[in-house]
Amino acid sequence: QLTETGGGLVQAGGSTRLTCTVSDFTFKFYATTWFRRLPGKERDLVACIAGTGGRTTYGDSVKGRAAIARDDERNVVYLEMNSLKGEDTGNYTCATGAWECSGSYYPYWGQGRRVTVSL
């Protein structure tokens, strides 16, 4: 089970942190990704952290503004986003269980959190 917290209403230029808490699954061996769906667009990858080694991958639109991190003891994955823009408004969802960040199959998904950036 994945439970997301954080996000909400943020002013443009501000920061937000999303937290994904994973239970009943040893996620540290698998890739965990934050996806987002922006209004009228397909879902895309925001950031991913690989299982073994913890290598990170970021979507082009958030490079330099996002940071993903994992705390294996607390079973959480964080997504920190800075310098938020209006076009960052959308629904953010974490998923885990893929073999690697480039994988397309994630068996476990959270419910998603809304991030709204006010201009």
Side-chain angles (χ1 to χ4, degrees):
Q1 182 177 356
L2 279 65
T3 305
E4 300 116 327
T5 57
L9 181 63
V10 188
Q11 286 190 332
S15 300
T16 192
R17 186 169 81 163
L18 294 160
T19 300
C20 177
T21 302
V22 183
S23 59
D24 300 325
F25 182 69
T26 307
F27 75 110
K28 65 181 180 180
F29 300 117
Y30 301 90
T32 301
T33 296
W34 281 96
F35 292 95
R36 71 179 179 185
R37 187 183 296 275
L38 305 181
K41 296 187 177 181
E42 297 293 319
R43 184 180 64 209
D44 63 355
L45 182 148
V46 180
C48 177
I49 185 164
T52 303
R55 181 177 180 179
T56 56
T57 302
Y58 295 94
D60 290 339
S61 62
V62 302
K63 281 182 180 176
R65 302 190 297 120
I68 187 170
R70 190 177 71 214
D71 185 332
D72 293 339
E73 289 190 3
R74 297 184 177 183
N75 292 335
V76 297
V77 174
Y78 303 102
L79 175 68
E80 184 94 21
M81 290 191 65
N82 305 305
S83 302
L84 286 165
K85 308 173 185 179
E87 51 263 44
D88 292 318
T89 294
N91 290 313
Y92 289 70
T93 307
C94 70
T96 193
W99 289 112
E100 53 191 10
C101 285
S102 60
S104 60
Y105 176 63
Y106 284 81
Y108 306 108
W109 292 80
Q111 294 298 308
R113 294 289 291 183
R114 181 75 176 176
V115 174
T116 302
V117 181
S118 64
L119 302 176

